[in-house]
Every structure is written in C-alpha cells, then in structure tokens.
Amino acid sequence: MSQSFEKVRALTGMKDILPHESAAWEELEALVREWLASYGYRNMRTPVLEHTRLFARGIGEVTDIVEKEMYSFRDSLNDEQLTMRPEFTAGMVRATIEHNLLYDRPQRVYCMGPVFRHERPQRGRYRQFHQIDVEALGFAGPDVDAELILMLARLWKRLGLRDIRLELNSLGQADERAAHRQALIGHLEKHIDVLDDEARRRMHSNPLRVLDTKNPAMQDMANQAPRLFDFLGPESRAHFEGVCARLRDAGIEYRLNPRLVRGLDYYNLTVFEWVTDRLGAQGTVCGGGRYDGLLELLGGRPAPAVGFAIGMERLLDLWQQSGAASGKPECDVYVVHQGDAAQRRAALLAEELRDAGHRVLVHAGSSGFKSQFKRADASAAAVALIIGPDELAAGQASVKWLRQAEDDTRAQQEVVALDAIAETLKTRM
Ligand code: ATP
Ligand code: MG
C-alpha cells in the first residue's frame, strides 16, 4: 500500500520564478545595477521585517497599504508587532537615520528586492512582488528631481520600451495643502451622495486620497474638485517650474496631471508616475516624488529627500513585449560522451573550458548519443563537443556547431585534438 501525501502549494499571489524565467530577471537586474552606478547610486540592503509602527508612521495610517495590505504579525518570542516590508522607502530612511548616513554628505542609494502586500492578485498585481527603489537623500533642489526623471527616461530607452509616458504634479507644502484641504472637504461634503463608503470614511482623515479613486461613479466629482495646484504659492511654483524647465532641456515630454496625488502620505512638491497602456489595468510602472518631511517624521534631523519605486514585474512584462529582452541560453558548450573513460575525460575538458570563460554543460549519466544531442539542442548551446571511444583513443573530440548560419561557409563539424579545443572555440565564439 502506498501512502499519499498532500501537495503543498505556493501562497496565492506569490510566484515562483522558474529557471526558464530567471535569465531575463538576472539580465534585467544586471542592467539596472549598471544604470544606477552610472549615476553614482549605491546599493543598500535593509531587512525584510521591520516594526509595524515604522510603516504605520512612515507610510501613513490612512493609506491602502497600512489599512489593508500589510503582512503583519505578532512575534510572540519578543512580544513585538512586526511587518513584512510593503515598500522600501520607510526602511531605507530608518537605516539612514539609525546609521547617521547624512552626517557629512547627502546620499544617493537604492534597494532592489521583494516587497509584500496583501492585495487581490491579477496580472501585474501580486502579493510578493519586486521593486527597484531609488532615493536621493539630503538634496533639496529641483535639479535632483529632474535628474531622477532623466535617469528613468534613460532606462526606458536602454530597455527599448515604447508607449511609456510621464505624468507630473506638485503637491506643494503643508500650509498650501491645508488651505486646499479645507476647500476639498467642502467639495466632498457637497457631493456626499456620490461618495462610496471608503471615500466617506476618508473624506476628513485623508481627503486628497479620495481623489485617487478608481471608482467610475466618482470620476466627475473628482475632476471638478478644487485643484491643489491652484493653491500653490510662488516658492512651490518655482520648484515645479525648475523641474519642468530641466525636462524641457532634455526633451522629455510630460503631462501635468492635477489629480496625481500618489498613494502614500508623505509626499510634497514634485510627484510623478510613468504609465503605459500596454499592461492592461495595472499601467503604472514607476511612481515617485519628493518627501521632505519623512526624515523628521521618523525621528531624524530634518532633511529633504526625493525618490521613486519601479515595479519589476511590470517592467519585465513591458521589456519582453518590446522584444529587446534577449534571455541567455543555458550554456555555450554542451559535452556529449560515450563510455566511462570518455565521461571522465569530458569532465576534465569542461573544467579547462570553464577556465577559458565558457559556460559548459557535461551530459550527466550515460544515455545514447541521440538523446544527448536532443538535450544539447534544447540547451541552446552554440556548440557540442563529442567524445566517443574512438575520439578518446585518438586524443580528439568532434566539434559540432549547432547554430551555424546558413550562409556561413565554415565547416559545421570538425575533429580537433583535445588540447586544441579551447583554441578552436576561441576563434569562433
Ligand atoms: P497601484 O496604484 O498599482 O496599486 P501603488 O501606488 O500602490 O500602485 P507604489 O506603492 O507606488 O504603487 O509602488 C511602486 C510600483 O510598484 C508601482 O508603480 C507598481 O509598478 C508596482 N506595484 C505596486 N503594487 C504592486 C503589486 N501588488 N504587484 C506588482 N507590482 C506592484
Ligand atoms: Mg497599491
């Protein structure tokens, strides 16, 4: 009698990235690191788990994330309330304060990795997803806001992305928002009959967020609401103009979107999103802005800050749609062999080829030539090396080019001395 065990599956909304998918991820990550380094950004790595109160305070109590999306639990061993990071900014700012990183210089930093939000899974929306989060800490001027946007335009270009556009707004400063807030609450009260439950609940605690609604029945009301932009004073306007002027210098198109407020509480002045129609309903690839109050709010010395987060799943989806993503084959060289002695020689040859920088797969186990060739082909290697008993006796291997172009007149297969293989590959790879 055989016993059957229950299959344990991954959690809903948490995806495995499988071997055939990971090459694209690794390529994207490498490209992103190079891009960030070219602007002087340095990596930092913060813990996945933080105190819940960091996010409650840093993101804001009346936000989607804190109200309903966080993975939080009580660590009974320490009797502490903990949360899996739903975004990077709060943790990065905490670390900056804790280690006094702004003591004598501003910092350009980034994080890349998984974040966690308990949302309804769908295309482009998962419960574990990945972000590239970039923060410029200690810089006050519009020059850095514009630099961040220029940086992003370069990344899109590098990846060959099409149909991605920039939306821009300014949230002004606290006093300007307070004046707008009064006017906005008045507007919401006047239209209370069209507000949904969430909007009614938030209209006094976070009225700006009510405008961020996706509810179709509330769009007219939101479009007619008093615009924060009209409440901005001369300094906020000058900052915004400073960003726009630099975007125009660089030939970057943008659309002023007065309704763009972003989901998080801590923004001021510049906010922006990069959006596309190519991803279905989940069209925001990147969101960011300035948050000059956050360091102080989290117990640090006041310092200006600006940053953005890119959703990597959405970025990868767009990149693959663009056709520019390549995806590396499993290996460059696949070694086929027959017989125990040939296998042992093949293993040594493979080591030698790895010394020369090749990625080599030696067929494992003893199968017939036919099935070995099938595997060699499936690996997408450029070349197969064949060592059978005859080749081994003669101190040779057959070199077979698997992906030779039709108009390439060089030999597709040749017999080469074992100690000359590395040299032969060098001339053709
Ligand atoms: P959305 O309006 O789509 O919920 P958001 O405002 O919550 O986005 P941010 O907190 O700004 O998103 O996160 C930055 C980026 O991370 C988003 O622009 C998006 O590309 C990506 N992102 C956000 N939530 C998810 C998710 N659940 N799954 C995959 N990517 C996500
Ligand atoms: Mg969200």
Side-chain angles (χ1 to χ4, degrees), residues 117 119 124-126 129 131 214 262 284-286 309 311 314:
R117 297 184 192 177
E119 304 195 68
R125 194 175 290 289
Y126 310 99
F129 63 100
Q131 284 187 343
K214 287 172 183 134
R262 306 269 311 125
T284 308
V285 180
C286 170
R314 297 182 195 178

Side-chain angles (χ1 to χ4, degrees), residues 65 157 177 199 227 301:
I65 295 180
K157 193 167 161 212
R177 279 203 301 278
R227 293 155 35 139
R301 258 193 294 190

Side-chain angles (χ1 to χ4, degrees), residues 299-318:
R301 258 193 294 190
V306 55
F308 60 74
I310 303 174
M312 291 187 77
E313 281 76 4
R314 297 182 195 178
L315 182 63
L316 196 67
D317 189 340
L318 261 191

Side-chain angles (χ1 to χ4, degrees), residues 57-281:
R57 214 188 315 157
I59 297 174
E61 297 277 3
V62 194
T63 55
D64 283 347
I65 295 180
V66 173
E67 278 186 345
K68 55 191 183 200
E69 295 175 359
M70 296 206 301
Y71 281 92
S72 298
F73 63 93
R74 177 154 289 276
D75 174 359
S76 57
L77 297 177
N78 295 322
D79 194 26
E80 286 175 327
Q81 192 64 28
L82 306 182
T83 294
M84 313 264 289
R85 64 181 179 214
E87 52 111 57
F88 280 107
T89 308
M92 290 168 82
V93 167
R94 177 205 48 72
T96 298
I97 296 167
E98 191 166 332
H99 303 286
N100 213 3
L101 296 187
L102 296 183
Y103 174 66
D104 59 353
R105 52 173 288 191
Q107 295 277 350
R108 287 178 162 89
V109 288
Y110 75 92
C111 279
M112 179 154 61
V115 295
F116 305 84
R117 297 184 192 177
H118 200 288
E119 304 195 68
R120 195 167 67 78
Q122 50 196 295
R123 177 181 176 190
R125 194 175 290 289
Y126 310 99
R127 291 182 174 171
Q128 173 172 334
F129 63 100
H130 297 75
Q131 284 187 343
I132 302 157
D133 189 295
V134 177
E135 310 288 355
L137 305 167
F139 301 93
D143 52 339
V144 178
D145 304 22
E147 184 187 88
L148 288 172
I149 294 173
L150 254 63
M151 249 173 103
L152 286 159
R154 177 184 291 274
L155 180 62
W156 313 148
K157 193 167 161 212
R158 172 74 182 76
L159 295 174
L161 305 192
R162 290 185 297 264
D163 305 328
I164 179 163
R165 50 183 201 279
L166 174 62
E167 308 224 314
L168 199 60
N169 192 18
S170 175
L171 300 183
Q173 300 293 12
D175 53 334
E176 293 154 358
R177 279 203 301 278
H180 169 255
R181 189 190 155 99
Q182 284 317 310
L184 180 57
I185 291 176
H187 177 79
L188 295 172
E189 280 169 345
K190 223 166 71 195
H191 294 87
I192 188 105
D193 47 314
V194 301
L195 301 190
D196 58 22
D197 288 348
E198 188 172 86
R200 283 178 201 199
R201 199 161 43 75
R202 282 179 174 174
M203 63 182 282
H204 293 283
S205 55
N206 197 347
L208 208 53
R209 282 286 286 131
V210 176
L211 299 186
D212 207 15
T213 178
K214 287 172 183 134
N215 183 345
M218 288 168 55
Q219 297 306 312
D220 281 347
M221 178 283 301
N223 283 326
Q224 291 155 13
R227 293 155 35 139
L228 173 52
F229 202 84
D230 299 327
F231 287 74
L232 301 190
E235 275 182 39
S236 293
R237 279 173 190 269
H239 187 102
F240 187 72
E241 218 3 83
V243 176
C244 295
R246 286 168 177 80
L247 297 184
R248 287 193 296 269
D249 288 346
I252 293 178
E253 285 179 32
Y254 59 89
R255 186 176 83 94
L256 171 63
N257 176 358
R259 278 188 54 190
L260 179 64
V261 297
R262 306 269 311 125
L264 313 182
D265 251 3
Y266 48 61
Y267 287 97
N268 68 314
L269 292 173
T270 316
V271 287
F272 60 88
E273 281 187 354
W274 290 87
V275 296
T276 178
D277 299 322
R278 289 179 169 262
L279 295 176

Side-chain angles (χ1 to χ4, degrees), residues 404-409:
Q404 187 163 327
E406 283 209 353
D407 56 357
D408 189 339
T409 54

